[in-house]
Coordinates of all heavy atoms in Angstrom, one line a residue:
M1 N -2.4 5.4 -7.2 CA -3.0 4.2 -6.8 C -4.5 4.3 -6.9 O -5.0 5.3 -6.4 CB -2.5 3.9 -5.4 CG -3.0 2.5 -4.9 SD -2.2 2.1 -3.3 CE -0.7 1.3 -3.8
S2 N -5.1 3.3 -7.5 CA -6.6 3.4 -7.6 C -7.3 2.6 -6.6 O -8.5 2.5 -6.6 CB -6.9 2.9 -9.0 OG -6.6 1.5 -9.1
D3 N -6.6 2.0 -5.6 CA -7.3 1.3 -4.5 C -8.2 2.2 -3.7 O -7.8 3.4 -3.5 CB -6.3 0.6 -3.6 CG -5.6 -0.6 -4.3 OD1 -6.1 -1.1 -5.3 OD2 -4.5 -0.9 -3.9
R4 N -9.3 1.6 -3.2 CA -10.1 2.4 -2.3 C -10.5 1.5 -1.1 O -10.8 0.3 -1.3 CB -11.4 2.8 -3.0 CG -11.1 3.9 -4.0 CD -12.4 4.5 -4.6 NE -12.1 5.6 -5.6 CZ -13.0 6.2 -6.2 NH1 -14.3 5.9 -6.1 NH2 -12.7 7.1 -7.1
I5 N -10.6 2.1 0.0 CA -11.0 1.4 1.2 C -12.5 1.8 1.4 O -12.9 3.0 1.4 CB -10.2 1.9 2.5 CG1 -8.7 1.7 2.2 CG2 -10.7 1.2 3.7 CD1 -8.3 0.3 2.0
N6 N -13.3 0.8 1.7 CA -14.8 1.0 1.9 C -15.1 1.1 3.4 O -14.7 0.2 4.1 CB -15.6 -0.1 1.2 CG -15.4 -0.1 -0.3 OD1 -15.7 0.9 -0.9 ND2 -15.0 -1.2 -0.8
I7 N -15.8 2.1 3.8 CA -16.2 2.2 5.2 C -17.7 2.5 5.1 O -18.2 3.4 4.5 CB -15.5 3.3 5.9 CG1 -14.0 3.0 6.0 CG2 -16.1 3.5 7.3 CD1 -13.2 4.1 6.6
N8 N -18.5 1.7 5.9 CA -19.9 1.9 6.0 C -20.2 2.6 7.3 O -19.8 2.2 8.4 CB -20.6 0.5 6.0 CG -22.1 0.7 5.9 OD1 -22.7 1.6 6.5 ND2 -22.8 -0.2 5.3
C9 N -20.9 3.8 7.2 CA -21.1 4.6 8.4 C -22.3 4.0 9.3 O -22.4 4.5 10.4 CB -21.4 6.0 8.0 SG -20.1 6.8 7.2
G10 N -23.0 3.1 8.8 CA -24.1 2.5 9.5 C -25.3 3.5 9.6 O -25.4 4.4 8.8
E11 N -26.2 3.3 10.6 CA -27.4 4.1 10.7 C -27.1 5.4 11.6 O -27.9 6.3 11.5 CB -28.5 3.3 11.3 CG -29.0 2.2 10.4 CD -30.1 1.4 11.0 OE1 -30.6 1.7 12.2 OE2 -30.6 0.5 10.4
R12 N -26.1 5.3 12.4 CA -25.8 6.5 13.3 C -24.4 6.9 13.2 O -23.5 6.2 13.5 CB -26.1 6.1 14.7 CG -27.6 5.8 14.9 CD -27.9 5.4 16.4 NE -27.7 6.5 17.3 CZ -28.5 7.4 17.7 NH1 -29.7 7.5 17.1 NH2 -28.2 8.3 18.6
L13 N -24.2 8.1 12.6 CA -22.9 8.7 12.6 C -22.8 9.7 13.7 O -23.0 10.9 13.6 CB -22.7 9.4 11.2 CG -21.4 10.1 10.9 CD1 -20.2 9.1 11.0 CD2 -21.4 10.8 9.5
S14 N -22.5 9.1 14.9 CA -22.6 9.9 16.1 C -21.6 9.5 17.2 O -20.8 8.5 17.0 CB -24.0 9.7 16.7 OG -24.3 8.3 17.0
I15 N -21.6 10.2 18.3 CA -20.5 10.0 19.3 C -20.4 8.6 19.8 O -19.3 8.1 20.0 CB -20.7 11.1 20.4 CG1 -19.4 11.1 21.2 CG2 -22.0 10.8 21.2 CD1 -19.3 12.3 22.1
E16 N -21.5 7.9 19.9 CA -21.5 6.5 20.4 C -20.8 5.6 19.5 O -20.4 4.5 19.8 CB -22.8 6.0 20.9 CG -23.8 5.8 19.8 CD -24.8 7.0 19.6 OE1 -24.5 8.1 20.1 OE2 -25.7 6.8 18.9
H17 N -20.7 6.0 18.2 CA -20.0 5.1 17.2 C -18.7 5.6 16.7 O -18.1 5.0 15.8 CB -21.0 4.9 16.0 CG -22.2 4.2 16.4 ND1 -22.3 2.9 16.6 CD2 -23.5 4.7 16.6 CE1 -23.6 2.6 17.0 NE2 -24.3 3.7 17.0
V18 N -18.2 6.7 17.3 CA -17.0 7.4 16.8 C -15.8 6.4 17.0 O -14.9 6.4 16.2 CB -16.8 8.7 17.5 CG1 -15.4 9.2 17.4 CG2 -17.8 9.8 16.9
E19 N -15.7 5.7 18.1 CA -14.6 4.9 18.4 C -14.4 3.8 17.3 O -13.3 3.6 16.8 CB -14.7 4.2 19.8 CG -13.4 3.5 20.2 CD -13.5 3.0 21.6 OE1 -14.4 3.4 22.4 OE2 -12.6 2.2 21.9
R20 N -15.5 3.1 17.0 CA -15.5 2.1 15.9 C -15.0 2.7 14.6 O -14.2 2.2 13.9 CB -16.8 1.4 15.8 CG -16.8 0.4 14.6 CD -18.2 -0.2 14.3 NE -19.2 0.8 13.9 CZ -19.3 1.3 12.6 NH1 -18.4 0.8 11.7 NH2 -20.2 2.2 12.3
L21 N -15.7 3.8 14.2 CA -15.3 4.4 13.0 C -13.9 5.0 13.0 O -13.2 4.9 11.9 CB -16.3 5.6 12.7 CG -17.7 5.1 12.2 CD1 -18.7 6.3 12.1 CD2 -17.7 4.4 10.9
Y22 N -13.5 5.5 14.1 CA -12.1 6.0 14.2 C -11.1 4.9 13.9 O -10.1 5.1 13.1 CB -11.8 6.6 15.6 CG -10.4 7.1 15.7 CD1 -10.0 8.3 15.3 CD2 -9.4 6.3 16.3 CE1 -8.7 8.8 15.4 CE2 -8.1 6.7 16.4 CZ -7.8 8.0 16.0 OH -6.5 8.4 16.1
S23 N -11.3 3.7 14.4 CA -10.4 2.6 14.2 C -10.4 2.3 12.7 O -9.3 2.0 12.1 CB -10.9 1.4 14.9 OG -10.8 1.6 16.3
E24 N -11.5 2.2 12.0 CA -11.6 1.9 10.6 C -10.9 3.0 9.8 O -10.2 2.7 8.8 CB -13.0 1.8 10.1 CG -13.7 0.5 10.6 CD -15.1 0.4 10.0 OE1 -15.2 0.4 8.8 OE2 -16.0 0.3 10.8
M25 N -11.1 4.3 10.2 CA -10.6 5.4 9.4 C -9.1 5.5 9.6 O -8.3 5.8 8.7 CB -11.3 6.7 9.8 CG -12.7 6.7 9.3 SD -13.6 8.2 9.9 CE -15.2 7.9 9.1
E26 N -8.6 5.2 10.9 CA -7.2 5.2 11.1 C -6.5 4.1 10.3 O -5.4 4.4 9.7 CB -6.9 4.9 12.6 CG -5.5 5.1 13.0 CD -5.3 4.9 14.5 OE1 -5.9 4.0 15.1 OE2 -4.5 5.6 15.1
S27 N -7.1 3.0 10.1 CA -6.5 1.9 9.3 C -6.5 2.4 7.8 O -5.5 2.2 7.1 CB -7.3 0.6 9.4 OG -7.2 0.1 10.7
A28 N -7.5 3.1 7.4 CA -7.6 3.6 6.0 C -6.5 4.6 5.8 O -5.9 4.6 4.7 CB -9.0 4.2 5.8
L29 N -6.1 5.4 6.7 CA -5.1 6.4 6.5 C -3.7 5.8 6.3 O -2.9 6.4 5.6 CB -5.0 7.4 7.8 CG -6.1 8.4 7.8 CD1 -6.0 9.1 9.2 CD2 -6.0 9.4 6.7
T30 N -3.5 4.6 6.8 CA -2.2 4.0 6.7 C -2.2 3.1 5.4 O -1.1 2.6 5.1 CB -1.9 3.1 7.9 OG1 -2.9 2.0 8.0 CG2 -1.8 3.9 9.2
S31 N -3.2 3.0 4.7 CA -3.3 2.2 3.5 C -2.9 2.8 2.2 O -2.9 2.2 1.2 CB -4.7 1.6 3.4 OG -5.6 2.6 3.0
D32 N -2.7 4.1 2.2 CA -2.3 4.9 1.0 C -3.3 4.7 -0.1 O -3.0 4.3 -1.2 CB -0.9 4.5 0.5 CG -0.4 5.4 -0.6 OD1 -0.6 6.6 -0.5 OD2 0.3 4.9 -1.5
A33 N -4.6 4.9 0.3 CA -5.7 4.8 -0.7 C -6.8 5.8 -0.4 O -6.9 6.4 0.7 CB -6.3 3.4 -0.6
D34 N -7.6 6.0 -1.4 CA -8.8 6.8 -1.2 C -9.8 6.0 -0.3 O -9.7 4.8 -0.2 CB -9.5 7.2 -2.5 CG -8.7 8.3 -3.3 OD1 -7.7 8.8 -2.8 OD2 -9.2 8.6 -4.4
V35 N -10.8 6.7 0.2 CA -11.8 6.1 1.1 C -13.2 6.3 0.5 O -13.5 7.4 0.1 CB -11.8 6.7 2.5 CG1 -12.9 6.2 3.3 CG2 -10.4 6.4 3.2
E36 N -13.9 5.2 0.3 CA -15.3 5.3 -0.1 C -16.2 5.2 1.2 O -16.1 4.2 1.9 CB -15.7 4.1 -1.0 CG -15.1 4.3 -2.4 CD -15.6 3.3 -3.4 OE1 -16.2 2.3 -3.0 OE2 -15.4 3.5 -4.6
L37 N -16.9 6.2 1.4 CA -17.8 6.2 2.6 C -19.3 6.0 2.1 O -19.7 6.7 1.2 CB -17.8 7.6 3.3 CG -16.6 7.8 4.2 CD1 -16.8 9.2 4.9 CD2 -16.5 6.8 5.3
N38 N -19.9 5.0 2.7 CA -21.3 4.8 2.4 C -22.1 5.3 3.6 O -22.0 4.7 4.7 CB -21.6 3.3 2.2 CG -23.0 3.1 1.8 OD1 -23.9 3.9 2.0 ND2 -23.3 1.9 1.2
A39 N -22.8 6.3 3.5 CA -23.7 6.9 4.5 C -25.1 6.9 4.1 O -25.9 7.7 4.6 CB -23.2 8.3 4.9
S40 N -25.5 6.0 3.2 CA -26.9 6.0 2.7 C -27.9 5.6 3.8 O -29.0 5.9 3.7 CB -27.0 5.1 1.5 OG -26.6 3.8 1.8
A41 N -27.4 4.8 4.8 CA -28.4 4.4 5.8 C -28.4 5.3 7.1 O -29.1 5.0 8.0 CB -28.0 3.0 6.3
V42 N -27.6 6.3 7.1 CA -27.5 7.2 8.3 C -28.9 7.9 8.5 O -29.4 8.6 7.6 CB -26.4 8.3 8.1 CG1 -26.4 9.3 9.2 CG2 -25.0 7.6 8.1
N43 N -29.4 7.7 9.7 CA -30.7 8.3 10.0 C -30.5 9.3 11.2 O -31.5 9.9 11.7 CB -31.8 7.3 10.2 CG -31.5 6.3 11.3 OD1 -30.9 6.7 12.3 ND2 -32.0 5.1 11.1
Y44 N -29.3 9.3 11.7 CA -28.9 10.3 12.8 C -27.5 10.6 12.7 O -26.6 9.7 12.6 CB -29.3 9.7 14.2 CG -28.9 10.6 15.3 CD1 -29.7 11.6 15.7 CD2 -27.6 10.5 15.9 CE1 -29.3 12.5 16.7 CE2 -27.2 11.3 16.9 CZ -28.1 12.4 17.3 OH -27.7 13.2 18.3
C45 N -27.1 11.8 12.8 CA -25.7 12.2 12.9 C -25.6 13.4 13.8 O -26.5 14.2 14.0 CB -25.1 12.4 11.6 SG -25.8 13.7 10.6
D46 N -24.4 13.5 14.4 CA -24.1 14.6 15.3 C -22.8 15.2 15.0 O -22.1 14.8 14.1 CB -24.3 14.2 16.8 CG -23.2 13.2 17.2 OD1 -22.2 13.0 16.6 OD2 -23.5 12.6 18.3
T47 N -22.4 16.3 15.7 CA -21.2 17.0 15.4 C -19.9 16.1 15.6 O -19.0 16.3 14.9 CB -21.1 18.3 16.2 OG1 -21.2 18.0 17.6 CG2 -22.1 19.3 15.7
A48 N -20.0 15.2 16.5 CA -18.8 14.3 16.8 C -18.6 13.5 15.5 O -17.4 13.3 15.1 CB -19.0 13.5 18.0
G49 N -19.6 12.9 15.0 CA -19.5 12.0 13.8 C -19.0 12.8 12.6 O -18.1 12.4 11.9
L50 N -19.6 14.0 12.4 CA -19.2 14.8 11.3 C -17.8 15.3 11.4 O -17.0 15.4 10.4 CB -20.2 16.0 11.1 CG -21.6 15.6 10.7 CD1 -22.5 16.8 10.7 CD2 -21.6 14.8 9.4
Q51 N -17.4 15.7 12.6 CA -16.0 16.1 12.9 C -15.0 15.1 12.5 O -13.9 15.3 12.0 CB -15.9 16.6 14.3 CG -14.5 17.0 14.7 CD -14.3 17.4 16.2 OE1 -15.2 17.2 17.0 NE2 -13.2 18.0 16.5
L52 N -15.3 13.8 12.8 CA -14.4 12.7 12.5 C -14.2 12.6 11.0 O -13.1 12.4 10.5 CB -15.0 11.4 13.1 CG -14.2 10.2 12.9 CD1 -12.8 10.3 13.6 CD2 -14.9 8.9 13.3
V53 N -15.3 12.7 10.3 CA -15.2 12.6 8.8 C -14.5 13.8 8.2 O -13.6 13.6 7.3 CB -16.6 12.5 8.2 CG1 -16.5 12.5 6.7 CG2 -17.3 11.3 8.7
V54 N -14.7 15.0 8.7 CA -13.9 16.2 8.3 C -12.4 16.0 8.5 O -11.6 16.2 7.7 CB -14.4 17.5 9.0 CG1 -13.5 18.6 8.7 CG2 -15.8 17.8 8.5
S55 N -12.1 15.5 9.7 CA -10.7 15.2 10.0 C -10.1 14.2 9.1 O -8.9 14.3 8.7 CB -10.5 14.8 11.5 OG -10.9 15.8 12.4
L56 N -10.8 13.1 8.9 CA -10.4 12.1 7.9 C -10.1 12.7 6.6 O -9.0 12.4 6.0 CB -11.4 11.0 7.8 CG -11.1 9.9 6.7 CD1 -9.9 9.1 7.0 CD2 -12.3 9.0 6.5
R57 N -11.0 13.5 6.1 CA -10.8 14.1 4.8 C -9.6 15.0 4.7 O -8.8 14.9 3.8 CB -12.1 14.9 4.4 CG -12.0 15.4 2.9 CD -13.3 15.8 2.4 NE -13.1 16.1 1.0 CZ -13.4 17.3 0.4 NH1 -13.8 18.3 1.1 NH2 -13.2 17.4 -0.9
R58 N -9.4 15.8 5.7 CA -8.2 16.6 5.8 C -6.9 15.8 5.8 O -6.0 16.2 5.1 CB -8.3 17.6 7.0 CG -9.3 18.6 6.8 CD -9.3 19.6 8.0 NE -10.3 20.6 7.8 CZ -10.8 21.4 8.8 NH1 -10.3 21.2 10.0 NH2 -11.7 22.3 8.5
E59 N -6.9 14.8 6.5 CA -5.7 13.9 6.6 C -5.4 13.2 5.3 O -4.3 13.1 4.8 CB -5.7 12.9 7.7 CG -5.6 13.6 9.1 CD -4.4 14.4 9.3 OE1 -3.3 13.9 9.0 OE2 -4.5 15.5 9.8
L60 N -6.5 12.7 4.6 CA -6.4 12.1 3.3 C -5.8 13.0 2.3 O -5.0 12.7 1.5 CB -7.7 11.5 2.9 CG -8.2 10.2 3.5 CD1 -9.7 10.0 3.2 CD2 -7.3 9.1 3.1
Q61 N -6.3 14.3 2.3 CA -5.9 15.3 1.3 C -4.4 15.6 1.5 O -3.8 15.9 0.5 CB -6.8 16.5 1.4 CG -8.2 16.2 0.9 CD -9.1 17.4 1.0 OE1 -9.0 18.2 1.9 NE2 -10.1 17.5 0.1
K62 N -3.9 15.5 2.7 CA -2.5 15.8 2.9 C -1.6 14.7 2.1 O -0.4 15.0 1.8 CB -2.1 15.7 4.4 CG -2.6 16.9 5.2 CD -2.2 16.7 6.6 CE -2.8 17.8 7.5 NZ -2.5 17.6 8.9
T63 N -2.2 13.6 1.9 CA -1.4 12.5 1.2 C -1.9 12.3 -0.3 O -1.5 11.4 -0.9 CB -1.6 11.2 1.9 OG1 -2.9 10.8 1.9 CG2 -1.1 11.3 3.3
G64 N -2.7 13.3 -0.8 CA -3.1 13.2 -2.2 C -4.3 12.3 -2.4 O -4.6 12.0 -3.5
H65 N -5.0 12.0 -1.3 CA -6.2 11.1 -1.4 C -7.4 11.9 -1.0 O -7.3 13.0 -0.5 CB -6.0 9.9 -0.6 CG -4.9 9.0 -1.0 ND1 -4.9 8.3 -2.2 CD2 -3.6 8.8 -0.5 CE1 -3.8 7.6 -2.4 NE2 -3.0 8.0 -1.4
D66 N -8.6 11.3 -1.1 CA -9.8 12.0 -0.7 C -10.9 10.9 -0.4 O -10.7 9.7 -0.5 CB -10.3 12.9 -1.8 CG -11.1 14.1 -1.3 OD1 -11.5 14.1 -0.2 OD2 -11.3 15.0 -2.1
I67 N -12.0 11.5 0.1 CA -13.2 10.7 0.4 C -14.1 10.7 -0.9 O -14.2 11.7 -1.6 CB -14.0 11.3 1.5 CG1 -13.3 11.1 2.8 CG2 -15.4 10.8 1.6 CD1 -13.9 11.8 4.0
H68 N -14.7 9.6 -1.2 CA -15.7 9.4 -2.2 C -16.9 8.9 -1.6 O -16.9 7.8 -1.0 CB -15.2 8.5 -3.3 CG -13.9 8.9 -3.9 ND1 -13.8 9.9 -4.9 CD2 -12.6 8.6 -3.6 CE1 -12.5 10.1 -5.2 NE2 -11.8 9.3 -4.5
W69 N -18.0 9.6 -1.7 CA -19.3 9.2 -1.1 C -20.0 8.2 -2.1 O -20.2 8.5 -3.2 CB -20.2 10.4 -0.9 CG -19.6 11.3 0.2 CD1 -18.8 12.4 0.0 CD2 -19.7 11.2 1.6 NE1 -18.5 13.0 1.2 CE2 -19.0 12.3 2.2 CE3 -20.4 10.3 2.4 CZ2 -19.0 12.4 3.6 CZ3 -20.3 10.5 3.8 CH2 -19.6 11.5 4.4
T70 N -20.3 7.0 -1.6 CA -21.0 6.0 -2.4 C -22.5 6.1 -2.0 O -23.3 5.5 -2.7 CB -20.5 4.6 -2.2 OG1 -20.6 4.3 -0.8 CG2 -19.1 4.5 -2.6
G71 N -22.8 6.9 -1.0 CA -24.2 7.1 -0.6 C -24.2 8.1 0.5 O -23.3 8.2 1.3
S72 N -25.2 9.0 0.5 CA -25.4 10.0 1.5 C -26.9 10.2 1.7 O -27.6 10.5 0.8 CB -24.8 11.3 0.9 OG -25.1 12.4 1.8
S73 N -27.3 9.9 3.0 CA -28.7 10.1 3.3 C -29.1 11.5 3.4 O -28.3 12.4 3.5 CB -28.9 9.4 4.7 OG -28.3 10.1 5.7
D74 N -30.4 11.7 3.4 CA -30.9 13.1 3.5 C -30.6 13.6 4.9 O -30.2 14.8 5.0 CB -32.5 13.1 3.4 CG -32.9 12.8 1.9 OD1 -32.1 13.0 1.0 OD2 -34.1 12.5 1.7
C75 N -30.6 12.8 5.9 CA -30.2 13.2 7.3 C -28.8 13.8 7.3 O -28.6 14.9 7.8 CB -30.4 12.1 8.2 SG -29.8 12.4 9.9
L76 N -27.9 13.1 6.7 CA -26.5 13.5 6.7 C -26.4 14.8 5.9 O -25.7 15.8 6.4 CB -25.6 12.5 6.1 CG -24.1 12.9 5.9 CD1 -23.4 13.0 7.2 CD2 -23.4 11.9 5.0
S77 N -26.9 14.9 4.7 CA -26.8 16.1 3.9 C -27.5 17.3 4.6 O -26.9 18.4 4.5 CB -27.5 15.8 2.5 OG -26.8 14.8 1.9
E78 N -28.6 17.1 5.2 CA -29.3 18.2 5.8 C -28.5 18.7 7.0 O -28.4 19.9 7.2 CB -30.7 17.8 6.2 CG -31.7 17.6 5.1 CD -33.0 17.1 5.5 OE1 -33.3 17.0 6.7 OE2 -33.8 16.7 4.6
T79 N -28.1 17.8 7.9 CA -27.3 18.2 9.1 C -26.0 18.9 8.7 O -25.7 19.9 9.3 CB -27.0 16.9 10.0 OG1 -28.2 16.3 10.3 CG2 -26.3 17.4 11.2
A80 N -25.3 18.3 7.7 CA -24.1 19.0 7.2 C -24.4 20.4 6.7 O -23.6 21.3 6.9 CB -23.4 18.1 6.2
G81 N -25.5 20.5 6.0 CA -25.9 21.8 5.4 C -26.2 22.8 6.5 O -25.8 24.0 6.4
Y82 N -26.9 22.4 7.6 CA -27.3 23.3 8.7 C -26.0 23.8 9.3 O -25.9 24.9 9.8 CB -28.1 22.6 9.7 CG -29.5 22.2 9.3 CD1 -30.1 21.0 9.7 CD2 -30.3 23.0 8.4 CE1 -31.4 20.6 9.3 CE2 -31.5 22.6 8.0 CZ -32.1 21.5 8.4 OH -33.3 21.1 8.0
L83 N -25.0 22.9 9.4 CA -23.7 23.3 10.1 C -22.7 23.9 9.2 O -21.6 24.3 9.6 CB -23.1 22.0 10.7 CG -24.0 21.4 11.8 CD1 -23.4 20.1 12.2 CD2 -24.1 22.3 13.0
G84 N -23.0 24.1 7.9 CA -22.1 24.6 6.9 C -20.9 23.8 6.6 O -19.8 24.3 6.4
L85 N -21.1 22.4 6.7 CA -20.0 21.5 6.5 C -20.0 20.8 5.2 O -19.1 19.9 4.9 CB -20.0 20.5 7.6 CG -19.7 21.0 9.0 CD1 -19.8 19.9 10.1 CD2 -18.3 21.6 9.1
C86 N -20.9 21.1 4.3 CA -21.0 20.3 3.0 C -19.7 20.4 2.2 O -19.2 19.4 1.8 CB -22.1 20.8 2.1 SG -23.7 20.3 2.8
S87 N -19.1 21.6 2.1 CA -17.8 21.7 1.4 C -16.7 21.0 2.1 O -15.9 20.2 1.5 CB -17.5 23.2 1.3 OG -16.2 23.3 0.7
S88 N -16.6 21.1 3.5 CA -15.6 20.4 4.2 C -15.7 18.9 4.1 O -14.7 18.2 4.2 CB -15.6 20.8 5.7 OG -15.4 22.2 5.8
L89 N -16.9 18.4 4.0 CA -17.1 17.0 3.9 C -17.0 16.5 2.4 O -17.0 15.3 2.2 CB -18.5 16.6 4.4 CG -18.7 16.8 5.9 CD1 -20.1 16.7 6.3 CD2 -17.9 15.7 6.7
G90 N -17.0 17.4 1.5 CA -16.9 17.0 0.1 C -18.3 16.5 -0.4 O -18.4 15.8 -1.4
L91 N -19.4 17.0 0.2 CA -20.7 16.7 -0.2 C -21.2 17.8 -1.1 O -21.1 19.0 -0.8 CB -21.7 16.6 1.0 CG -21.5 15.4 1.9 CD1 -22.3 15.6 3.2 CD2 -22.0 14.2 1.2
S92 N -21.8 17.4 -2.2 CA -22.5 18.4 -3.0 C -23.9 18.7 -2.5 O -24.4 17.8 -1.8 CB -22.5 18.0 -4.5 OG -23.4 16.9 -4.7
S93 N -24.5 19.8 -2.9 CA -25.8 20.1 -2.4 C -26.9 19.2 -3.1 O -28.0 19.2 -2.7 CB -26.1 21.5 -2.7 OG -26.0 21.8 -4.1
T94 N -26.4 18.4 -4.1 CA -27.4 17.5 -4.8 C -27.3 16.1 -4.3 O -28.0 15.2 -4.8 CB -27.1 17.5 -6.3 OG1 -25.8 17.1 -6.6 CG2 -27.3 18.9 -6.9
Q95 N -26.5 15.8 -3.4 CA -26.4 14.4 -2.9 C -27.5 14.0 -2.0 O -28.0 14.7 -1.3 CB -25.0 14.1 -2.2 CG -23.9 14.0 -3.2 CD -22.6 13.6 -2.6 OE1 -22.2 14.2 -1.6 NE2 -21.9 12.7 -3.1

C-alpha cells in the first residue's frame, strides 16, 4: 500500500505535546500505512518526544511500514545525534 499518513511535529517535540502526538500516531498505526513526519519547524525537542517517535517507528516496522521524514530541523538532528538516536529514528546524518 502506498498511502501515507502525514503528521506535523510542530515547533516543540516535547513532553507537553506528547499526548497530542500520541493520539495522531496511534491513529496512524491503525491505518496500515507509512507515516510522513514533518519536523522542519521543531526548535525544541526532549527525550519524551524522541522516545515517542522511536516507539512509533518500531511499531510501524513490525507491520512492514516505516517513517519518512519530510523535514528535519537542525535542532532535531543535533539532539538525536547527541543521544545516539539518529539510526533509531531513521535520520541520516545529512538531514
Side-chain angles (χ1 to χ4, degrees):
M1 183 173 273
S2 63
D3 290 337
R4 290 187 179 178
I5 304 299
N6 296 304
I7 298 176
N8 188 326
C9 296
E11 294 182 0
R12 295 179 63 87
L13 183 57
S14 57
I15 195 163
E16 67 266 12
H17 297 285
V18 164
E19 187 174 349
R20 176 189 62 82
L21 286 172
Y22 177 83
S23 296
E24 289 184 55
M25 291 177 180
E26 186 176 42
S27 294
L29 284 172
T30 63
S31 68
D32 192 35
D34 285 0
V35 172
E36 286 189 347
L37 279 183
N38 184 344
S40 59
V42 171
N43 58 36
Y44 177 83
C45 59
D46 63 17
T47 55
L50 295 176
Q51 180 181 10
L52 181 64
V53 177
V54 168
S55 295
L56 171 67
R57 185 164 190 239
R58 287 182 180 164
E59 291 303 311
L60 284 169
Q61 288 176 329
K62 289 179 184 177
T63 63
H65 297 288
D66 207 348
I67 288 173
H68 302 276
W69 295 94
T70 59
S72 171
S73 70
D74 290 342
C75 173
L76 174 69
S77 298
E78 289 174 12
T79 304
Y82 294 144
L83 296 170
L85 293 175
C86 287
S87 178
S88 297
L89 292 166
L91 287 170
S92 69
S93 58
T94 60
Q95 283 184 314

